[in-house]
Amino acid sequence: DEAAGEASSRDIAGTWQGTLHMPAAGQRPEVNLRLVFKISKADTGALNGSWYSIDQNPRGIPLATVTFQNGVLQFKSAMIERSYEGKMSEDGKSITGTWMEGTTPVPMVLDRATPDTAWAIPEPPKPMAADANPGFEVATIKPSKPGTKGKGVGFDGHKFIMRNVHMDDLISFAYGLHAKQIVGAQDWFDKDLFDIDGTPDVPGVPSMHQMELMMQKLLPDRFGLKFHYEQRKLPAYIITVASAGPKMTKTKFGPNDPQAFFFRNFGDLTVGNMTIKDFATWFQGSVMDRPVE
């Protein structure tokens, strides 16, 4: 019985939680984030898990790999570059280790949560109905702050956000086009930059396709966009399967979970929870000098 009790106390499966103290950098003050890790063991003995940054986003992020050997826990996050390695205490109640925030090491202690001590994980916002055809209930469009670098597109809680985008970006996003497929535009289309904040007129978090529909309605309403389609020949990149077959990892995310397409550093691209068609659309709009099919 004593041996069984010791094995149970040293079992890694369960809920672990700790506060990540991100050090101050430049003009940014120290940031304290509560992280929760849920680890389970399959019948085969393999470990799986998800982690939550409950002060930022209530959605869980799957762990790509989880191992626990000789009292040492190691895991890596799916989609974004985060990892952890730590040593479990003799009583099995805590783990002392290092969280890797990209390439930055940050000390972090995890405590085994009990029903009484576990932090509540906020309920994630529900997805918009799959058959919804949303527009904007309200949208604010302002010129971007001069000198702002980078671009951003996303959905934060209940708000659609675009940052530092020009008209070519908006049309490309709305209709899945490359900028070279936009012909006869006015000179300011690729020069004047805007920030957009808007609220959908349908409850729930829209899918990427539904955000495109919202933009298709906004452009003629607020920018007076008028256009027609023509067929023309132009160079393009074609994605095909290599002779050795695909070498890709199927996502652990669900169909209603968020997608990711971002650069950690120059040339270091992360793509998550996207079909090849999604990838081609984002790749042509953000990276390549011609359409991608």
Side-chain angles (χ1 to χ4, degrees), residues 1-279:
D1 289 340
E2 290 181 359
E6 181 180 351
S8 175
S9 69
R10 301 278 291 177
D11 187 1
I12 194 62
T15 300
W16 298 83
Q17 58 192 30
T19 300
L20 181 67
H21 303 284
M22 290 294 298
Q27 297 181 349
R28 187 194 71 187
E30 180 179 281
V31 177
N32 300 312
L33 300 173
R34 293 177 298 161
L35 306 185
V36 176
F37 302 87
K38 292 182 175 292
I39 300 175
S40 60
K41 183 182 292 185
D43 294 338
T44 60
L47 296 173
N48 299 291
S50 297
W51 68 281
Y52 305 77
S53 182
I54 61 176
D55 297 315
Q56 292 179 301
N57 190 328
R59 289 186 181 275
I61 301 175
L63 296 175
T65 59
V66 187
T67 62
F68 182 63
Q69 296 178 337
N70 301 320
V72 176
L73 170 67
Q74 293 180 311
F75 59 71
K76 291 184 178 181
S77 172
M79 192 180 293
I80 61 176
E81 190 178 9
R82 303 291 186 273
S83 62
Y84 182 79
E85 180 174 336
K87 179 76 172 180
M88 180 183 282
S89 62
E90 288 299 322
D91 61 7
K93 294 182 179 180
S94 65
I95 299 172
T96 301
T98 300
W99 171 266
M100 294 299 297
E101 183 76 11
T103 59
T104 303
V106 183
M108 184 170 67
V109 175
L110 300 179
D111 295 315
R112 189 188 294 273
T114 68
D116 292 331
T117 64
W119 294 330
I121 299 176
E123 189 71 23
K126 295 182 179 180
M128 189 175 288
D131 59 353
N133 184 4
F136 282 98
E137 181 178 346
V138 60
T140 301
I141 304 171
K142 297 180 179 179
S144 300
K145 184 178 179 180
T148 302
K149 296 184 181 299
K151 300 177 185 292
V153 178
F155 198 86
D156 181 15
H158 303 284
K159 185 168 65 174
F160 176 80
I161 298 172
M162 298 188 85
R163 291 290 180 264
N164 213 39
V165 292
H166 50 53
M167 193 64 170
D168 280 357
D169 294 326
L170 299 177
I171 296 173
S172 297
F173 176 82
Y175 296 100
L177 301 175
H178 188 275
K180 287 189 175 179
Q181 293 174 280
I182 303 171
V183 179
Q186 298 182 27
D187 290 342
W188 60 271
F189 270 41
D190 63 352
K191 296 180 178 63
D192 293 358
L193 296 169
F194 302 94
D195 294 340
I196 299 176
D197 296 84
T199 304
D201 58 6
V202 177
V205 178
S207 66
M208 191 62 67
H209 174 62
Q210 287 169 327
M211 284 192 268
E212 293 168 358
L213 295 176
M214 292 167 61
M215 188 55 58
Q216 290 175 18
K217 296 176 182 179
L218 183 75
L219 289 174
D221 180 46
R222 300 293 293 275
F223 288 91
L225 177 68
K226 296 181 180 180
F227 68 93
H228 67 275
Y229 285 103
E230 294 180 3
Q231 288 191 348
R232 300 189 182 188
K233 290 184 178 181
L234 73 162
Y237 295 109
I238 309 297
I239 297 177
T240 58
V241 179
S243 58
K247 300 178 181 178
M248 307 187 76
T249 303
K250 187 174 181 179
T251 185
K252 291 187 176 183
F253 286 82
N256 294 323
D257 287 329
Q259 297 175 315
F261 187 102
F262 61 90
F263 285 91
R264 289 189 290 256
N265 297 294
F266 182 74
D268 186 1
L269 174 64
T270 293
V271 179
N273 202 27
M274 283 191 172
T275 65
I276 295 298
K277 182 179 180 181
D278 294 334
F279 167 73

